[in-house]
Amino acid sequence: MTEAPGITGHWDIDPAHSRLGFSTRHAMVSRVRGAFNEVSGSADIAEDLSDSTATVIIKTASIDTRSEDRDNHLRSADFFDVETYPEIRFNSSAIDEVDEGSFIVTGELTIRNMTKTVSVPLELIGVDTDPFGNLRAGLEGSRRIDRKDWGVTWNTKLDSGGVLVSDKITLEFELSLIKNVAEEAPTESADTTAQDEAPTEAPEAENQDRAEASPAPKQEPVTEAAPARQEFPPAPPVKPVQKPTDQAPAAPSVEAPQPQSSGKPLGKLFGLR
């Protein structure tokens, strides 16, 4: 069992894909089959099978034999007395590997508050991963018991000398178990999350300290200094005043001698005064 991949660990019974049933003779000529629809349980498989454990819990009121009248009779005090004993329990005391893939699970079976030791042979059908990523293990087996050992003694005699219900009951096990990966190494995940959360708190504290110190620079009197700069509008107009000074050299371009001429243009032309 330990050689199969991933067989060690914690496994939970998948009730939707498991069947815990039974069969018995009725009226000495036919066989009646039934099952319990509400089943739960788990198995903890260790590297050393002697340290492994398994538990199965059955709700007696969930019995189903495809006949309402018969089911109600089985729920009554003549058989399971579901109001007084709502559960059937099995707690393993030993798990032994008798052959490759073959095991004997021994434990205490409690019915109607009476406990007896039974051994159930189980075959490991296989271990595989389903399309949803669940690692599953399939087990099947059966075991014949005498119901009178647990106080279930009701019966009716037939004219032929036989009985209506056989005392021998065959228990049928078809189990699908899902490995619970979440329970592996929980401390590591807790430590990693604690380490991841620790550094994030420090920067937040630093940011709060910086936020408290930041109000001082935010209150800079920048807006108040702006009107001070607006108090000097006369300074810019000085520059246009300098523009006529740049044009001052153009004054000599006016020819003063022309208006001061003597009125003797012909004399100047011939050099006469």
Side-chain angles (χ1 to χ4, degrees):
M1 189 171 189
T2 55
E3 294 179 357
I7 197 64
T8 58
H10 181 84
W11 299 78
D12 294 317
I13 294 177
D14 179 11
H17 298 90
S18 300
R19 178 180 178 271
L20 268 69
F22 57 89
S23 63
T24 187
R25 290 289 179 183
H26 179 263
M28 309 297 294
V29 295
S30 63
R31 183 172 292 275
V32 174
R33 299 181 183 276
F36 295 94
N37 295 329
E38 295 184 24
V39 179
S40 62
S42 62
D44 289 289
I45 308 302
E47 292 290 344
D48 186 355
L49 280 180
S50 61
D51 297 328
S52 302
T53 59
T55 302
V56 179
I57 302 173
I58 300 171
K59 298 295 183 181
T60 54
S62 68
I63 193 169
D64 183 5
T65 63
R66 299 183 304 168
S67 172
E68 185 177 356
D69 292 338
R70 183 168 54 219
D71 293 344
N72 290 333
H73 190 196
L74 292 172
R75 295 186 185 105
S76 70
D78 289 342
F79 289 92
F80 291 109
D81 194 1
V82 298
E83 294 183 359
T84 307
Y85 312 105
E87 292 181 348
I88 296 174
R89 284 181 170 267
F90 175 82
N91 295 316
S92 71
S93 57
I95 300 177
D96 300 317
E97 186 174 13
V98 295
D99 199 354
E100 185 177 359
S102 299
F103 308 91
I104 297 292
V105 181
T106 303
E108 305 297 324
L109 179 61
T110 302
I111 303 175
R112 291 174 59 101
N113 207 27
M114 297 183 65
T115 301
K116 301 289 182 179
T117 301
V118 297
S119 295
V120 180
L122 293 175
E123 293 288 333
L124 179 64
I125 305 304
V127 179
D128 206 342
T129 302
D130 64 17
F132 304 99
N134 299 314
L135 185 63
R136 290 181 177 269
L139 296 165
E140 292 183 358
S142 63
R143 167 63 197 264
R144 194 180 188 191
I145 63 172
D146 191 334
R147 62 187 177 93
K148 293 185 297 182
D149 293 340
W150 284 270
V152 185
T153 59
W154 184 93
N155 220 328
T156 297
K157 292 183 178 181
L158 302 176
D159 294 339
S160 62
V163 291
L164 182 63
V165 182
S166 173
D167 293 333
K168 301 299 182 180
I169 308 295
T170 301
L171 303 179
E172 301 166 348
F173 303 90
E174 299 171 7
L175 303 175
S176 178
L177 287 78
I178 299 178
K179 189 173 184 180
N180 191 337
V181 183
E183 293 192 1
E184 296 183 358
T187 55
E188 294 181 0
S189 59
D191 294 341
T192 53
T193 54
Q195 292 177 359
D196 295 339
E197 293 176 356
T200 57
E201 295 178 356
E204 292 179 0
E206 293 178 358
N207 293 334
Q208 292 179 356
D209 295 340
R210 294 176 181 176
E212 293 177 356
S214 59
K218 288 181 180 179
Q219 296 178 355
E220 293 180 356
V222 177
T223 56
E224 296 179 358
R229 295 178 181 177
Q230 295 177 358
E231 292 178 359
F232 302 93
V238 176
K239 294 181 179 179
V241 176
Q242 294 176 356
K243 291 181 181 179
T245 58
D246 297 337
Q247 297 176 357
S253 61
V254 179
E255 296 180 357
Q258 291 179 359
Q260 295 177 0
S261 60
S262 58
K264 299 178 180 181
L266 297 175
K268 291 181 179 180
L269 180 62
F270 296 99
L272 299 177
R273 296 182 179 176

